[in-house]
């Protein structure tokens, strides 16, 4: 597999991958016993300095099968904010290991700096506690592989949360591609990004580590490049050698936010965003043809496929595997691609995947 990337990691960032994909699906090997249907899954949160946590708190509150029992964080202001949004029965801890031992959650939601993901999973694996973290899985492929190994050894579920896994447009695009609507995929273009974290108003707590190359792992290439690798792997499988082209444009320097993926084949193209999907047939041409084609009516998603908490709880309670694109196996491969991109950017040379 050949990978080409620019020598600079500064935004705007464009990474071009030339890949041959296999269609081997990823699998989950968790081995947790099935929970009784009437029992709620006891959930704890680790970290409040990732801004995604506030949406996840709403998802937990709206999930009948979830019971938020504890939160661990060291920031007094964030703890005070969280207390206004959760039940008075939720216990707060400054040390997450103590929380794991005393509160004894069945599952944790990790919303911390990316470089802490392995450390926290190691403690959860010792206690056989299911684990979900915000994307990306880690700051490098070595940590991601160790996370997958530990989770498999402990028999726990391991999920990596991406917002695009829970919207109808993504699922309908995936099924359209798999049904052959555009034919054999020849090219994928993924544009995910915005003006920059500070420019869009992220909290100072989030910004403090998001701009740190160690804690985050690499700026926009980690924050948004993971989406492009996720899409490529989800749609085509693990790359092996030259076949199709994936262009990942991940930026913190656009004048507006973009969450846009285009898939091209000999029969036409599909274009998806957060809440839209377009199809343009190869037969459509001429002055009256819309750039992206005609809108496709989106299918509604069941609750367990519409948000990360419901999906995670269902996987635990029904002992179902974590499915792509939020599975551990797929996300180890995401980190392998991003590692190769970072090394290619550093050296100016193409990199082979392990």
């Amino acid at each position: 597999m050949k990978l080409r990337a620019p020598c600079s990691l500064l935004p705007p960032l464009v990474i071009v991958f030339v890949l041959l994909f296999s269609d081997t699906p990823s699998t989950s090997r968790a081995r947790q016993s099935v929970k009784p249907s009437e029992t709620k899954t006891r959930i704890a949160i680790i970290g409040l300095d990732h801004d995604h946590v506030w949406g996840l708190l709403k998802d937990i509150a709206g999930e009948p099968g979830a019971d938020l029992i504890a939160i661990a964080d060291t920031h007094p202001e964030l703890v005070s904010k969280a207390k206004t949004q959760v039940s008075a029965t939720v216990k707060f801890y400054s040390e997450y290991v103590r929380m794991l031992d005393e509160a004894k959650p069945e599952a944790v939601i990790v919303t911390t700096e990316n470089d802490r993901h392995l450390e926290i999973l190691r403690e959860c694996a010792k206690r056989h506690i299911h684990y979900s973290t915000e994307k990306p899985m880690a700051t490098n492929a070595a940590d991601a592989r160790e996370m997958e190994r530990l989770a498999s050894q402990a028999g726990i579920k391991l999920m990596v949360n991406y917002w695009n896994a829970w919207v109808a447009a993504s699922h309908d695009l995936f099924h359209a591609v798999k049904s052959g609507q555009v034919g054999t995929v020849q090219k994928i273009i993924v544009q995910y990004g915005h003006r920059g974290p500070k420019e869009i108003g992220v909290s100072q707590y989030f910004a403090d580590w998001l701009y740190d190359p160690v804690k985050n792992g690499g700026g926009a290439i980690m924050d948004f490049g993971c989406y492009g690798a996720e899409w490529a792997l989800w749609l085509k499988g693990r790359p092996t050698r030259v076949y199709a082209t994936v262009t990942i444009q991940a930026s913190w320097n656009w004048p507006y936010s973009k969450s846009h993926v285009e898939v091209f084949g000999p029969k036409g193209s599909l274009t998806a965003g957060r809440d839209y999907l377009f199809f343009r047939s190869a037969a459509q041409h001429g002055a009256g043809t819309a750039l992206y084609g005609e809108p496709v009516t989106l299918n509604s998603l069941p609750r367990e496929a519409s948000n990360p908490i419901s999906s995670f709880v269902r996987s635990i309670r029904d002992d179902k595997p974590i499915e792509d694109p939020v599975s551990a196996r797929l996300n180890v491969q995401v980190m392998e691609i991003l590692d190769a991109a970072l090394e290619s950017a550093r050296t100016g040379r193409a990199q082979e995947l392990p």
Side-chain angles (χ1 to χ4, degrees), residues 135-136 138-140 216-226 335 338 342:
K135 61 80 192 168
T139 57
N140 58 73
N216 179 29
I221 194 171
M222 283 291 172
D223 195 28
F224 287 119
C226 61
M335 297 312 305
L338 294 183
L342 286 166

Side-chain angles (χ1 to χ4, degrees), residues 13-55:
L13 174 66
V14 179
I15 310 166
V16 178
F17 304 88
V18 183
L19 314 169
L20 175 66
F21 297 88
S22 64
D23 294 321
T24 304
S26 62
T27 60
S28 172
R29 291 167 288 180
R31 303 179 300 277
Q32 196 74 355
S33 59
V34 178
K35 301 295 179 183
S37 59
E38 68 274 9
T39 303
K40 291 188 175 184
T41 299
R42 293 162 53 84
I43 291 177
I45 288 177
I46 300 176
L48 293 170
D49 55 352
H50 191 311
D51 284 359
H52 292 183
V53 71
W54 309 109

